[in-house]
Amino acid sequence: MATKTKPQYTGKRHRLDRPELLAPAGNLEKLKFAVHYGADAVYIGGQQYGLRSNADNFTFEEMKEGVEFAARYGAKVFVATNIYAHNEDLDGIEDYLRGLEEAGIAAIIAADPIIMDTAMRVAPKLEVHVSTQQSTMNWQAVQFWKDEGAPRVVLAREASLEEIAEIKNHVDVEIEAFIHGAMCSSYSGRCVLSNHFTDRDSNRGGCCQSCRWKYDIYEDDIQLFGMDEDKFTMGSKDLCMLENIPDLIEVGVDSFKIEGRMKSLHYVATVVHAYRRAIDAYMADPDNYELKEEWLHDIQKAANRPLNSGFFYDTPGAEDHIYGPEDKAAPYDFAGVVLSYDAETGLAVVQQRNHFKPGQEVEFFGPNGTSFKQIVGELKNEAGEPLDAARHPLQPIVMRVERPVQPMDMMRKRIRP
Amino acid sequence: MATKPELITSASSLEELVRYMDAGADAFLLGEATYGVRMPGDFTIDMLTEAVKVAKPRGVKIYAALNNVMDNHTVASLPAYLEQLAQIGIDAIVFGDPAILMNARSKAPGIPLHWNAEMTSTNYATADYWGKRGATRVVLARELNMEQVLEAKAKGSLEVQVQVHGMTNIYHSKRPLVRNYMDHQKEAGAKFAEGDHLPIDGVPVGTQEDGMYLIEAERPEERFPIYEDLNGTHVMSSDDLCMIENLHELMEGNVDSFRIEPILKSVEYNEVVIRAYRSAIDAYYEDPDGYEFNEEWLEAIQDVQDPKRELSYGFFYKEQVY
């Protein structure tokens, strides 16, 4: 990760209110884990009007269950209604928004003003958050949305820390910023590559990530580089601001948003856990705050692309793109979830999430301090029969753990050095 | 009968403006890269002043392009710019960012506002939302189909502008992607296939004049122009929209304004295209019932069309999924 020149925000003042950590949740289980691992709020997609048509989006019933679960932790649930509607999408918006309000959703994240306007009219208990798809990056546009009734604006990913500071100086409104995850390399919403390449409407959830494909570049009918050279791409490295938490807090960002409704349970829990610890550590003692290497290492265990700091410090350059092969798998893989633990016997019941077997190195982690590595010993099923490996998805496996664990702690296994 | 639709284009210089007026354009979108996005050339305020002087006596409208994604820095200069535009008698202000609305109310009162958010102007209800806040026209996204366009006109209350000819922007990034790639190749010691194309610090790469394009492995026939400017990187469609055969469908639907996108085309090409659409519009309004499409209009365009770029109907007759 490139460390860039930091602006002067660090150490100038200490912010008193804790920013919100906002996590993605592609389904109900991910919602529960995101909240359990420390998210103050989660955002999900419903059956309509969201930009991830491939995610297992929530029904109203699942939303209600999610809202109830989150409430036990004092966490909120937002719904992304961030498409740009076409004429035929207009019918049904009112009912859908009323359904969200009725399910106890705290806010919608909307890009199309007609969806914002309709929500304010028919579902006034829903807060309207202006989506990053609006590409808002100046204070007057932020002021406009505030005047329209939106208490929060999610800024364009192109806004720098300096620009965010200026916006906060001018307008008293909540500012949400993406701090981690995959990024559109275009202005969000200003890309219809998918429409042109595959007839899939990117602004209604059909994005097929053509920006990450490889292209040959020509000038005046001459191919500029030979076949053996790296090809052109628009694909960006992923955002990671874990090293810059104090800057983000002190500049006044109110909500720290993690991208990834399509990401795995393990990814969401790992990333939330890392940022939770960093934010809490800074808020507890800003003067003596130090970034812990361990948090960064944890992020790497779930990261699947190289990381960078986006536009926060500087316009991305050559080092911020992925010209070589894409999607290097993370060195660790999710192996299981702790269902229960018996302190007397030292045995835990672990639900299998990926194949594991005796002799493998695994690592347990959880939001309440669980953090240790061990070698997998003997495995049994619940009937007490020995197993040569944990082969079956979701099977409860009884295994000895070297330290105490808690339900919802996770076990990951190392898959490459 | 409905009013005759406008034929709007852009120009990169005053000379071009006059040539396109002579060819039959009756409105122009002009501006400079600080405020307007993807103009074929910069029109400074002085040039705009001249443009208005030349156009007014001929009944031709000049609209100012302020359709960029605006940052704090640009927004700070908006009041002065808008006052100047109001002074020189600009006919409309084309905007995407709400910051323009915030300023135009006080700095350029009474000047019509056209809402153009490029790919994201996708329905009539949202157009009406901006209408309630001062917009008089919506410039629709080019990814809509005929039914959606006609419905936007029938159900919405704003004037409707659609692009009918030329390439369309399909990707806009704030990142200097061409320069970044060249820097990477330099760093990686990549061999340039021909000549010395190594970028020089401070000298722009991949400008509109450089004629760069992208080819994706599975689509070897399609060339996607790419260029870089003050506003980042722009990737354009590999086909040129051409609706001349079906223009009457849009005219029957009372669509108010037809745009010919002149970017990355020669003046001669644009003149031919403008003349063809001028003829079709004039013929239709002379006698809507007896209107017949004249093959010669299309043939004239085909004669000057780059054979490596397909003339297409864009998204007008396409089904999209998501």
Side-chain angles (χ1 to χ4, degrees):
Chain A
M1 222 174 309
T3 313
K4 295 184 174 163
T5 329
K6 290 185 180 179
Q8 62 280 18
Y9 312 111
T10 314
K12 287 278 179 194
R13 62 190 176 113
H14 290 321
R15 186 174 159 183
L16 298 175
D17 59 324
R18 197 175 82 154
E20 171 186 280
L21 181 59
L22 174 58
N27 60 33
L28 192 53
E29 185 181 41
K30 290 177 193 174
L31 179 152
K32 290 177 178 175
F33 276 82
V35 169
H36 184 70
Y37 276 72
D40 300 303
V42 293
Y43 63 100
I44 64 174
Q47 304 284 323
Q48 285 173 282
Y49 304 109
L51 272 187
R52 293 290 177 273
S53 52
N54 290 328
D56 0 327
N57 293 313
F58 284 64
T59 62
F60 287 131
E61 279 312 305
E62 288 170 326
M63 284 183 197
K64 279 178 196 159
E65 190 181 336
V67 167
E68 277 164 27
F69 181 90
R72 283 185 243 149
Y73 291 77
K76 291 175 183 169
V77 180
F78 307 153
V79 171
T81 55
N82 50 352
I83 66 160
Y84 277 100
H86 286 209
N87 298 342
E88 64 272 23
D89 302 317
L90 296 169
D91 281 341
I93 292 180
E94 293 192 3
D95 286 345
Y96 182 71
L97 293 171
R98 284 193 194 100
L100 297 183
E101 186 183 49
E102 146 89 18
I105 297 302
I108 57 163
I109 306 164
D112 194 324
I114 198 61
I115 294 180
M116 305 180 203
D117 197 51
T118 308
M120 290 175 195
R121 199 160 42 76
V122 306
K125 280 189 225 147
L126 286 177
E127 275 189 13
V128 171
H129 297 175
V130 179
S131 163
T132 194
Q133 297 295 115
Q134 264 290 343
S135 292
T136 308
M137 53 184 294
N138 70 74
W139 68 266
Q140 291 193 358
V142 171
Q143 181 72 54
F144 173 86
W145 294 120
K146 188 194 174 187
D147 294 349
E148 289 290 311
R152 181 184 295 192
V153 176
V154 190
L155 294 181
R157 291 181 184 84
E158 288 75 12
S160 68
L161 276 183
E162 218 173 301
E163 289 172 321
I164 296 172
E166 194 175 341
I167 288 168
K168 286 297 287 188
N169 284 340
H170 277 102
V171 193
D172 181 19
V173 67
E174 289 174 12
I175 291 296
E176 179 176 310
F178 277 94
I179 56 150
H180 194 92
M183 288 182 278
C184 288
S185 58
S186 67
Y187 282 111
S188 294
R190 300 298 181 100
C191 170
V192 287
L193 292 174
S194 296
N195 306 55
H196 280 261
F197 288 141
T198 60
D199 292 341
R200 292 172 61 86
D201 190 354
S202 51
N203 280 326
R204 286 190 290 175
C207 170
C208 59
Q209 306 208 18
S210 317
C211 62
R212 297 191 182 278
W213 299 356
K214 307 291 186 198
Y215 301 84
D216 289 313
I217 194 160
Y218 289 74
E219 184 172 325
D220 295 332
D221 295 347
I222 296 160
Q223 189 174 349
L224 290 185
F225 298 98
M227 296 313 286
D228 300 335
E229 312 291 359
D230 287 341
K231 288 181 184 296
F232 176 85
T233 183
M234 302 156 235
S236 169
K237 290 183 180 176
D238 283 4
L239 183 62
C240 175
M241 288 294 284
L242 187 63
E243 289 177 277
N244 313 89
I245 290 298
D247 284 354
L248 286 167
I249 292 178
E250 294 302 342
V251 85
V253 175
D254 299 279
S255 177
F256 290 12
K257 184 175 208 164
I258 297 165
E259 176 276 344
R261 283 195 278 136
M262 308 285 278
K263 295 286 203 302
S264 72
L265 189 63
H266 172 237
Y267 176 94
V268 172
T270 301
V271 175
V272 168
H273 188 43
Y275 281 94
R276 177 78 282 152
R277 284 175 288 170
I279 294 168
D280 288 352
Y282 182 79
M283 293 309 294
D285 186 2
D287 289 325
N288 298 305
Y289 172 83
E290 266 180 53
L291 177 81
K292 287 214 171 114
E293 283 299 316
E294 168 196 342
W295 305 333
L296 278 173
H297 288 155
D298 279 357
I299 290 275
Q300 294 295 346
K301 289 169 189 169
N304 45 14
R305 288 197 191 102
L307 303 169
N308 75 1
S309 58
F311 278 85
F312 283 107
Y313 297 99
D314 207 353
T315 300
E319 69 283 7
D320 296 304
H321 291 272
I322 308 169
Y323 297 107
E326 254 263 45
D327 283 349
K328 207 170 60 170
Y332 283 81
D333 203 354
F334 187 24
V337 173
V338 175
L339 297 178
S340 64
Y341 170 68
D342 184 336
E344 280 182 21
T345 60
L347 293 175
V349 181
V350 175
Q351 187 184 54
Q352 195 263 28
R353 290 311 180 98
N354 267 309
H355 184 280
F356 63 94
K357 62 180 189 211
Q360 266 179 331
E361 183 189 300
V362 291
E363 180 180 328
F364 284 89
F365 69 101
N368 299 315
T370 303
S371 175
F372 64 93
K373 287 177 183 169
Q374 70 170 61
I375 303 297
V376 176
E378 207 183 14
L379 301 178
K380 288 180 178 166
N381 65 17
E382 280 191 307
E385 296 156 358
L387 300 170
D388 67 330
R391 300 178 184 281
H392 305 294
L394 304 182
Q395 186 184 9
I397 305 284
V398 181
M399 65 183 284
R400 183 167 301 284
V401 287
E402 291 177 5
R403 294 191 210 168
V405 291
Q406 297 184 20
M408 294 181 86
D409 282 354
M410 283 188 179
M411 183 178 85
R412 54 165 83 101
K413 61 173 179 177
R414 189 178 262 287
I415 50 172
R416 56 183 180 79
Chain B
M1 196 175 84
T3 47
K4 198 164 174 172
E6 169 186 281
L7 187 58
I8 182 171
T9 187
S10 294
S12 66
S13 66
L14 282 162
E15 189 212 342
E16 252 180 59
L17 176 92
V18 171
R19 287 177 66 172
Y20 295 163
M21 280 199 298
D22 290 345
D26 46 26
F28 287 85
L29 177 66
L30 306 173
E32 53 188 298
T34 309
Y35 305 99
V37 73
R38 285 180 291 282
M39 291 292 105
D42 278 344
F43 263 73
T44 61
I45 197 81
D46 290 341
M47 288 167 75
L48 280 177
T49 312
E50 279 308 304
V52 171
K53 275 188 199 150
V54 172
K56 273 259 153 87
R58 296 177 61 169
V60 169
K61 304 256 171 70
I62 303 292
Y63 306 146
L66 285 83
N67 53 346
N68 208 349
V69 178
M70 304 260 165
D71 58 16
N72 291 326
H73 181 72
T74 310
V75 154
S77 68
L78 274 179
Y81 188 58
L82 284 164
E83 276 174 358
Q84 283 179 314
L85 293 175
Q87 256 166 30
I88 66 169
I90 214 87
D91 293 292
I93 288 161
V94 180
F95 79 101
D97 195 303
I100 306 295
L101 275 187
M102 304 280 283
N103 286 280
R105 287 166 185 162
S106 57
K107 303 298 174 194
I111 297 184
L113 293 161
H114 296 176
W115 177 56
N116 180 4
E118 298 278 327
M119 302 74 167
T120 65
S121 309
T122 51
N123 73 75
Y124 63 85
T126 302
D128 282 357
Y129 170 95
W130 293 111
K132 283 181 195 145
R133 287 151 185 82
T136 56
R137 174 184 295 190
V138 52
V139 180
L140 289 177
R142 292 150 301 214
E143 291 74 34
L144 302 184
N145 63 33
M146 181 62 81
E147 196 186 336
Q148 290 167 330
V149 167
L150 295 179
E151 195 183 34
K153 176 60 189 171
K155 292 195 176 169
S157 55
L158 302 196
E159 290 175 9
V160 168
Q161 178 181 317
V162 291
Q163 184 175 331
V164 292
H165 196 94
M167 64 178 71
T168 65
N169 176 249
I170 64 175
Y171 171 95
H172 179 195
S173 175
K174 198 188 177 201
R175 299 160 186 249
L177 292 170
V178 179
R179 170 160 300 274
N180 286 352
Y181 177 63
M182 294 299 172
D183 285 349
H184 168 81
Q185 296 295 68
K186 202 155 56 165
E187 184 87 354
K191 283 197 189 67
F192 287 76
E194 171 126 348
D196 179 18
H197 289 278
L198 279 171
I200 302 159
D201 289 341
V203 176
V205 291
T207 63
Q208 283 192 28
E209 289 71 37
D210 286 337
M212 283 194 181
Y213 57 88
L214 302 176
I215 289 187
E216 201 267 320
E218 286 174 27
R219 297 164 178 75
E221 302 302 313
E222 297 183 50
R223 300 169 161 209
F224 297 91
I226 180 169
Y227 74 91
E228 212 170 283
D229 63 13
L230 199 63
N231 296 316
T233 308
H234 313 269
V235 180
M236 310 300 287
S237 63
S238 62
D239 54 338
D240 287 315
L241 180 60
C242 176
M243 286 298 289
I244 190 136
E245 292 159 276
N246 307 72
L247 203 64
H248 60 279
E249 292 181 46
L250 293 163
M251 291 192 279
E252 278 161 22
N254 297 318
V255 171
D256 301 276
S257 176
F258 298 139
R259 175 162 170 82
I260 291 169
E261 177 55 66
I263 201 163
L264 304 180
K265 301 286 187 196
S266 70
V267 181
E268 293 73 24
Y269 175 90
N270 289 326
E271 282 178 320
V272 168
V273 172
I274 293 165
R275 272 192 224 109
Y277 282 85
R278 177 80 275 148
S279 304
I281 295 170
D282 288 350
Y284 182 86
Y285 278 84
E286 206 155 284
D287 180 12
D289 296 330
Y291 174 83
E292 265 179 53
F293 171 68
N294 183 342
E295 283 292 338
E296 283 172 17
W297 302 331
L298 178 60
E299 283 162 16
I301 295 172
Q302 284 166 337
D303 283 348
V304 291
Q305 180 68 19
D306 177 351
K308 299 194 180 82
R309 293 183 54 84
E310 191 195 347
L311 286 171
S312 82
Y313 300 119
F315 287 89
F316 275 101
Y317 304 105
K318 222 181 233 183
E319 272 313 311
Q320 291 183 85
V321 294
Y322 51 93

